[in-house]
């Protein structure tokens, strides 16, 4: 696996070739592009909550949460919720 396998701006922090896991880091400036609601949803998703659980906590619809998660992933240039969970800066 090479660095060219990752989106631009992501840097490899740790690589576990046995389990094919990669932990990435990125410029913290990307976090500043998130709205307050997107930051909260990102933190809850990072904690492992489902869209339904997040919607219940935030008293909103799961459709709204799904849209917010999609925007978070796009703004942070992260390909999945699993990848989002590898970024410790998200829980800040």
């Amino acid at each position: 696996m090479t660095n060219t396998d990752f989106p631009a701006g992501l840097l490899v922090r740790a690589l576990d070739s046995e389990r094919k896991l990669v932990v990435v880091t990125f410029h913290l400036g990307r976090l500043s592009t998130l709205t307050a609601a997107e930051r909260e949803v990102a933190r809850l998703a990072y904690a492992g909550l489902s869209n339904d659980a997040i919607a219940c906590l935030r008293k909103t619809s799961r459709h709204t949460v799904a849209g917010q998660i999609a925007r978070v992933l796009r703004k942070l240039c992260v390909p999945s919720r699993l990848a989002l969970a590898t970024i410790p800066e998200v829980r800040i």
Side-chain angles (χ1 to χ4, degrees):
M1 190 173 282
T2 67
N3 282 343
T4 59
D5 296 333
F6 304 106
L10 293 178
L11 305 170
V12 174
R13 180 181 292 158
L15 177 66
D16 180 342
S17 60
E18 195 171 297
R19 292 183 290 167
K20 300 197 184 332
L21 295 177
V22 175
V23 178
V24 295
T25 189
F26 59 96
H27 300 288
L28 289 177
R30 289 187 183 161
L31 287 175
S32 67
T33 66
L34 301 179
T35 66
E38 290 168 346
R39 280 193 302 275
E40 182 180 359
V41 167
R43 281 193 291 269
L44 294 170
Y46 178 90
L49 276 68
S50 68
N51 285 4
D52 287 337
I54 294 170
C56 185
L57 280 173
R58 300 198 68 242
K59 297 182 182 5
T60 188
S61 74
R62 65 183 146 180
H63 177 75
T64 298
V65 172
Q68 290 168 324
I69 291 289
R71 285 189 298 279
V72 165
L73 297 179
R74 186 181 70 246
K75 287 179 178 183
L76 297 181
C77 298
V78 178
S80 67
R81 282 177 81 124
L82 182 60
L84 178 68
T86 69
I87 303 171
E89 292 87 354
V90 170
R91 73 173 179 253
I92 295 172

